[in-house]
Amino acid sequence: MINDRPTQLRVNLDALLNNYNKLNSLNNEKIGLAVVKADSYGLGSKVIAEHLYQNGVRHFATATLEEALELKDVIKDSMVLVLGVINSQNVKYAVENNVSLTCPSKEWLEESLVHLQQIEGKLKIHVKLDTGMGRIGTSDLEELKEIDNLLDSEKIDFEGIFSHYSNADGEDDNYDNYQTENFERSLKIFTHKPKYIHIENSAGTVKYSNRDDQYNLTRIGIAMYGCYPSGNIEKLDKVQLEPVASLVSKVTHVKKFQAGQKLGYGVSYEAKQDEYIATVPIGYADGLLRRAQGFKIRVGSEECEIVGRVCMDQLMVRCSKNVKVGDDVLFFGEYSGQKVSVDEFAEYQNTISYEIFCCINKRVPRVYYKNKMEL
Ligand SMILES: *Cc1c(COP(=O)(O)O)cnc(C)c1O
């Protein structure tokens, strides 16, 4: 199919794999599970999971059952864990496709067992403990005992037990320690021993790489995609992440403006002097949100402010007379010799890299490349 529009989300698969390998080798005792939920944070899970698989990765996680099933043919014999809660009526799809599920509560397990009685095979589960995130999983010790009893069932393959840090990217370890203590207390309840015990996300993977603990798997998300979970984690200076994703485009139009001339919806911008305005084909329908107004993007080798409101499909920047139609535009990442961190782009808009990636609409083609020479 023709690809006419120059706006692209470029994804460097080598950088992604390097990041995974660096994070995975921070702690050799633990397996690095690649979190590819939400279409790999918007970057495209089919291609990414397949690339990781071809390079030896055998542990993955998604948010939903649908996401897991979509990946099964590219990651074949790997473990794929659904991190969210699935409808227990659908557990048969997990069993048939060798997908591991999260057990969020005793009720869920009881209901799932009813459905499991009607089918062949065992369900692989990871029991979720709520140690302080307050989202899914249980913290009630009585309930955990009952879950442990239900694990006797021959329909269950008790593969894992896990929890999730809610502030591992924060300034101090206080809340992590509170959660770790809760986790340890709950783990003692279990008479059955699972294959995997895990609590760390990207931030925890970096922060607790030297910790002596009984956990044997870490769940790596945002850091694999080239972003530090926060400045606190970057400051630890334990791992050098390579940028993975770049949002790029090209100038489609340039015009000269006279002082006093106005532009854009709501005419929120007026030229103070004679200047040039360039138009770039990206807008909020692509996930380049209106709150990016005022951010300075790279156009050729210049820094140009987004002026006026971001439209649905286009936006305008103020530039010098040197800017020409066809010049390269970079919002974040690396492109034609320019570099802008996604964190800078995210911070300007009062958000985080995770949200920036996930908001880039499917209209923007994902273009994969494997080494920097192809930039
Ligand atoms: C999304 C998610 C992760 C990955 O988090 P990052 O901060 O991106 O590393 C890990 N575990 C769970 C349960 C998640 O939902």
Side-chain angles (χ1 to χ4, degrees):
M1 217 181 75
I2 147 170
N3 186 4
D4 172 70
R5 203 168 179 237
T7 301
Q8 298 178 339
L9 182 61
R10 296 173 57 82
V11 179
N12 184 338
L13 292 173
D14 280 342
L16 185 139
L17 182 64
N18 290 345
N19 290 336
Y20 171 84
N21 286 331
K22 287 179 194 178
L23 293 153
N24 190 35
S25 58
L26 278 178
N27 188 323
N28 289 324
E29 327 263 273
K30 296 182 190 176
I31 291 172
L33 169 147
V35 179
V36 293
K37 65 187 178 190
D39 203 21
S40 276
Y41 294 38
L43 304 185
S45 60
K46 264 237 152 107
V47 176
I48 288 173
E50 186 166 21
H51 187 62
L52 290 167
Y53 181 85
Q54 283 166 352
N55 288 280
V57 180
R58 292 293 180 271
H59 296 78
F60 296 86
T62 63
T64 69
L65 181 61
E66 291 88 334
E67 289 172 2
L69 296 179
E70 270 170 28
L71 293 180
K72 260 290 148 179
D73 52 331
V74 293
I75 58 175
K76 301 176 188 78
D77 49 339
S78 304
M79 177 183 110
V80 52
L81 169 64
V82 177
L83 297 168
V85 181
I86 87 147
N87 185 335
S88 53
Q89 286 177 357
N90 292 326
V91 292
K92 65 169 186 284
Y93 298 105
V95 175
E96 280 166 12
N97 293 283
N98 192 28
V99 168
S100 306
L101 297 182
T102 292
C103 166
S105 65
K106 184 193 74 164
E107 286 73 25
W108 183 89
L109 191 52
E110 283 171 344
E111 284 170 27
S112 297
L113 280 166
V114 171
H115 295 286
L116 287 167
Q117 295 312 330
Q118 293 150 23
I119 58 165
E120 293 274 310
K122 288 184 183 218
L123 175 67
K124 292 183 174 170
I125 63 163
H126 290 233
V127 174
K128 181 74 184 273
L129 306 181
D130 180 19
T131 56
M133 174 76 178
R135 192 166 58 181
I136 60 171
T138 180
S139 54
D140 185 288
L141 299 185
E142 280 310 309
E143 187 178 346
L144 290 176
K145 276 184 196 150
E146 293 176 46
I147 289 176
D148 183 55
N149 283 336
L150 293 170
L151 294 174
D152 286 332
S153 165
E154 54 176 31
K155 303 303 289 178
I156 297 291
D157 179 354
F158 182 33
E159 188 174 49
I161 190 158
F162 74 116
S163 193
H164 189 50
Y165 286 130
S166 53
N167 196 38
D169 61 342
E171 276 180 20
D172 60 49
D173 302 348
N174 298 342
Y175 203 72
D176 302 346
N177 293 337
Y178 165 78
Q179 288 192 267
T180 309
E181 282 163 27
N182 282 345
F183 195 43
E184 288 296 322
R185 193 177 316 122
S186 301
L187 287 175
K188 289 203 181 86
I189 305 273
F190 287 81
T191 56
H192 300 79
K193 198 164 164 49
K195 192 164 170 192
Y196 301 114
I197 305 178
H198 45 117
I199 190 168
E200 289 144 12
N201 50 8
S202 293
T205 303
V206 177
K207 209 166 158 186
Y208 299 120
S209 58
N210 302 321
R211 185 169 66 181
D212 183 20
D213 56 36
Q214 56 169 324
Y215 318 141
N216 54 5
L217 183 143
T218 74
R219 304 185 302 269
I220 304 169
I222 196 70
M224 173 171 74
Y225 302 111
C227 302
Y228 293 91
S230 70
N232 299 315
I233 300 300
E234 185 170 7
K235 270 194 304 212
L236 297 176
D237 212 18
K238 286 197 185 176
V239 59
Q240 288 303 314
L241 299 175
E242 303 174 25
V244 170
S246 306
L247 184 62
V248 308
S249 191
K250 288 185 193 298
V251 171
T252 48
H253 195 83
V254 182
K255 53 169 56 94
K256 191 168 181 196
F257 256 54
Q258 258 120 44
Q261 228 180 313
K262 300 183 173 74
L263 66 74
Y265 289 121
V267 286
S268 65
Y269 179 76
E270 178 179 331
K272 300 227 166 33
Q273 60 206 18
D274 290 0
E275 60 196 27
Y276 287 80
I277 297 291
T279 302
V280 185
I282 186 170
Y284 58 78
D286 300 294
L288 199 294
L289 304 182
R290 283 163 45 116
R291 60 194 185 200
Q293 181 174 348
F295 186 72
K296 292 198 177 85
I297 61 173
R298 300 293 193 285
V299 180
S301 54
E302 294 180 17
E303 280 192 20
C304 301
E305 182 183 330
I306 299 174
V307 292
R309 291 190 191 147
V310 172
C311 312
M312 190 184 292
D313 317 296
Q314 307 181 70
L315 56 77
M316 287 77 91
V317 298
R318 185 178 55 233
C319 60
S320 80
K321 68 176 189 317
N322 300 324
V323 166
K324 299 279 176 292
V325 168
D327 281 358
D328 288 330
V329 175
L330 174 67
F331 292 87
F332 61 76
E334 288 182 312
Y335 194 50
S336 63
Q338 299 290 315
K339 203 168 173 171
V340 181
S341 91
V342 59
D343 290 323
E344 184 185 333
F345 184 70
E347 266 162 40
Y348 180 83
Q349 298 173 67
N350 260 320
T351 184
I352 52 176
S353 55
Y354 301 70
E355 194 180 42
I356 295 291
F357 286 166
C358 289
C359 283
I360 296 170
N361 194 282
K362 291 287 172 274
R363 183 166 79 177
V364 178
R366 273 62 174 166
V367 175
Y368 300 94
Y369 61 103
K370 286 202 180 157
N371 64 60
K372 291 188 175 165
M373 299 310 291
E374 292 170 41
L375 265 176

